[in-house]
Amino acid sequence: MNEDEDRRSDDRELVVERAVRTAAGAGNRLLSGGVADAEVSDARTGELLRTALARMGVRWASEAGAPADFVFRDRAIDAPGEDTGTGGLAPVVVGLDGGVRSARGDDAGARIAWAARGMRATALLASDMRTETERSGGAPRIAVSLVLEPKTAALVLALADAGCEVAVFSAVSETDPAVAAELAAAGRVAVFAPTGGCPDPDAARRLDAEHAAAVLAWRPEYLIDDGAHLIRLAHTEHREALATLRAAAEETTSGVRPLREMAAEGALRIPVIAVNDARTKTGFDNLVGTGQSCVFATADLLDAAGWSGPGASRTAEGRYRGIAGTRWTVLGYGPVGVGTARFAAALGARVAVVERDPVRALAALHDGFEARGAVEALPRADVVVSATGVWHTLDAAGFARLRPGTAVAVAGGIDDELALDELAAAGWRCAPVAPGVDEWIVPGAERGVLVLASGGGVNYTAGEGNPIEVMDLSFATQIAALMRLMRDDPPAGVHALSEEEEHLVARAALAARGADADPAPLGARPGGAAQPWTVHRYRA
């Protein structure tokens, strides 16, 4: 292949990457499980598009016998108008020329309504919840502590429609102020989140603390938590909240971990359902949704910054060449790490995994990725993604191993997953080079490492968070957990969602997509064994 052919191949891969990212971003949609239609004049570009989408779990309309959620054409304006796709939302039409058509409006109210239309499993479970609240004659007080964007707003409004009194809390760094203002103006939900511009970091910390204390003072009976931050606050500095707080449901891996520690020490005074551990959450939200949204948000930031990888003279002076062919190092191979590696590879990245658990490292190898130690993998990386949810996963020593120009992001994320505090203490200086991109430079050097989204979770800090379809599953799972807590009143401790409740959520999501699971045959034996245990191969 000569230089011109090589350049054309690179250009095609970049066109495909941008089109795929646009398709997901225009409506905050999940590609996996969706249906696409494509009519592209350049055969090689069409082949690359189909390959990338197939790797992401996208089906084709001609094969699925279903309407398309994503339509790709040479120009978006050339595509015909189409009706509702498989997810209940109008399809996104993407032109390879950069054009896009989406039925979602831009203002906060339109974005909330769009999310609500796409969250049909959540709506179905909320309807079931309304039946229960009407039967009991009560109006349970529920506080929701999650990243506040259109999908969370749709959840809290669904809970209000179900007959609940609802409050929502969100930190400054995790709030879309326009969405918070829209909710506050509607007057149906108590809002403990910023509705205006973001203050300076010290003011943001004070405001977050005030809002966290205020939502507990609102005296919720039930709590949907993220990171178990409010649960821990209620058990430490605001123990008076435990007088009315009956139970909680925890959304994240990083939140379940301290709750299990609290339970083991006998310090957890309320029942908590580990929603994160439900198959309808971890297997979709963590694995597919976070994988897609973090890889795409990382690429969005690097594209806008003109990133050319390690070795380029300056970020803003380079030409973004795309993810294809770049080396990614993914730290951690839990569900988030698996999803990140898969979506990066689907766009043509070469992925190495750094994982301390040898079984997970072996799984990465069998999934087609390199399994390496950090000492070997970090110096070779163009992009590093921390996917552990563990404090100081990438410490100062790890940063020192990276080449100047290497990009670093966090998938999912907790506070200080990147040890930027260590870098500051060691004299590294931070210089902004593009929106959402900072360069951290070691003393005496001219070039440094590029940190995305200030070290926060890149998908919700620099993007709209996880796609609608996976949050529909997560939020439906949360409602199933709330109904269980209200119905059963379990003892203090960490509890799992039952298989029956997982099936309830999954069947609702399947029905919303025009699909179903095969029903169990009549007379099927409990436990699934094919024969009674007394029947075996070697009997006399």
Side-chain angles (χ1 to χ4, degrees):
M1 183 180 290
N2 61 39
E3 185 176 342
D4 288 340
E5 290 173 332
D6 204 12
R7 186 179 299 111
R8 283 197 299 274
S9 178
D10 288 347
D11 288 344
R12 290 188 182 103
E13 289 172 330
L14 182 54
V15 165
V16 166
E17 178 193 317
R18 283 173 170 159
V20 169
R21 283 164 32 208
T22 298
N28 195 209
R29 303 292 303 279
L30 179 69
L31 292 169
S32 299
V35 177
D37 178 50
E39 189 176 312
V40 179
S41 58
D42 183 78
R44 177 57 180 157
T45 302
E47 179 185 349
L48 289 170
L49 176 64
R50 286 177 174 271
T51 298
L53 291 173
R55 289 171 176 169
M56 296 176 186
V58 177
R59 298 169 292 151
W60 292 99
S62 58
E63 300 166 359
D69 301 297
F70 310 99
V71 178
F72 297 90
R73 296 290 188 267
D74 290 328
R75 297 191 308 161
I77 197 171
D78 292 337
E82 305 200 26
D83 295 327
T84 303
T86 61
L89 295 169
V92 175
V93 181
V94 178
L96 300 189
D97 63 347
V100 60
R101 292 191 353 234
S102 172
R104 185 180 73 162
D106 293 329
D107 64 272
R111 289 185 288 131
I112 294 170
W114 174 267
R117 285 197 299 274
M119 290 167 49
R120 295 191 288 177
T122 297
L124 183 59
L125 269 291
S127 177
D128 292 345
M129 188 177 192
R130 182 174 185 85
T131 300
E132 291 198 12
T133 56
E134 289 176 345
R135 184 183 301 119
S136 67
R141 291 172 68 84
I142 301 173
V144 176
S145 172
L146 295 169
V147 174
L148 183 50
E149 38 72 57
K151 299 177 293 294
T152 301
L155 168 66
V156 298
L157 291 174
L159 291 173
D161 288 340
C164 305
E165 295 183 46
V166 187
V168 62
F169 162 81
S170 182
V172 169
S173 63
E174 299 177 353
T175 299
D176 181 331
V179 171
E182 182 75 15
L183 280 178
R188 300 180 60 205
V189 173
V191 177
F192 299 94
T195 57
C198 183
D200 65 80
D202 288 337
R205 282 190 289 272
R206 290 194 298 271
L207 185 60
D208 288 345
E210 291 171 6
H211 281 156
V215 75
L216 290 179
W218 183 79
R219 314 288 280 186
E221 297 173 272
Y222 300 95
L223 170 64
I224 294 176
D225 208 356
D226 183 341
H229 293 297
L230 290 188
I231 296 173
R232 288 183 278 176
L233 184 65
H235 281 74
T236 52
E237 297 176 28
H238 291 280
R239 298 176 67 85
E240 68 280 358
L242 295 175
T244 53
L245 184 60
R246 298 176 57 185
E250 171 54 42
E251 174 80 0
T252 65
T253 305
S254 57
V256 171
R257 289 169 180 163
L259 291 173
R260 295 197 189 283
E261 291 182 13
M262 292 171 68
E265 295 175 7
L268 185 60
R269 292 181 52 192
I270 61 172
V272 182
I273 290 183
V275 167
N276 175 78
D277 296 351
R279 291 183 297 164
T280 47
K281 200 279 183 180
T282 300
F284 299 90
D285 187 326
N286 302 33
L287 178 69
V288 183
T290 305
Q292 173 186 298
S293 61
C294 288
V295 169
F296 287 8
T298 296
D300 287 342
L301 289 174
L302 296 178
D303 193 353
W307 176 81
S308 296
S313 57
R314 275 290 172 194
T315 300
E317 297 172 3
R319 171 181 176 268
Y320 180 70
R321 299 181 65 89
I323 298 303
T326 58
R327 291 183 176 273
W328 285 47
T329 291
V330 177
L331 307 178
Y333 205 63
V336 172
V338 172
T340 299
R342 286 182 184 174
F343 276 88
L347 293 176
R350 292 175 286 177
V351 178
V353 171
V354 174
E355 172 56 68
R356 293 178 180 176
D357 183 328
V359 177
R360 286 182 169 180
L362 184 63
L365 194 69
H366 283 267
D367 285 341
F369 308 123
E370 297 180 39
R372 304 291 182 190
V375 172
E376 180 181 359
L378 290 176
R380 301 172 61 192
D382 301 315
V383 178
V384 176
V385 179
S386 178
T388 65
V390 174
W391 180 79
H392 279 202
T393 291
L394 189 64
D395 58 12
F399 271 99
R401 294 190 176 100
L402 301 177
R403 293 173 293 162
T406 300
V408 181
V410 172
I414 63 166
D415 295 341
D416 298 320
E417 192 162 329
L418 305 181
L420 301 182
D421 51 341
E422 283 189 0
L423 301 188
W428 291 51
R429 58 189 173 90
C430 175
V433 296
V437 182
D438 297 322
E439 188 172 22
W440 282 80
I441 306 169
V442 69
E446 295 184 358
R447 294 289 316 282
V449 175
L450 303 179
V451 174
L452 307 187
S454 301
V458 69
N459 60 336
Y460 58 79
T461 303
E464 285 193 271
N466 282 350
I468 289 171
E469 292 84 351
V470 290
M471 295 314 298
D472 184 29
L473 273 171
S474 291
F475 291 161
T477 306
Q478 286 283 7
I479 294 175
L482 287 175
M483 288 193 291
R484 158 92 167 278
L485 291 168
M486 295 174 187
R487 181 180 63 247
D488 294 352
D489 196 19
V494 179
H495 302 268
L497 209 64
S498 71
E499 185 179 78
E500 180 182 0
E501 288 156 337
E502 291 177 336
H503 288 179
L504 176 68
V505 173
R507 288 191 184 279
L510 284 167
R513 291 158 176 78
D516 199 0
D518 189 41
L522 293 175
R525 302 187 67 251
Q531 296 174 307
W533 68 268
T534 54
V535 178
H536 54 85
R537 181 183 296 176
Y538 303 116
R539 57 184 177 169

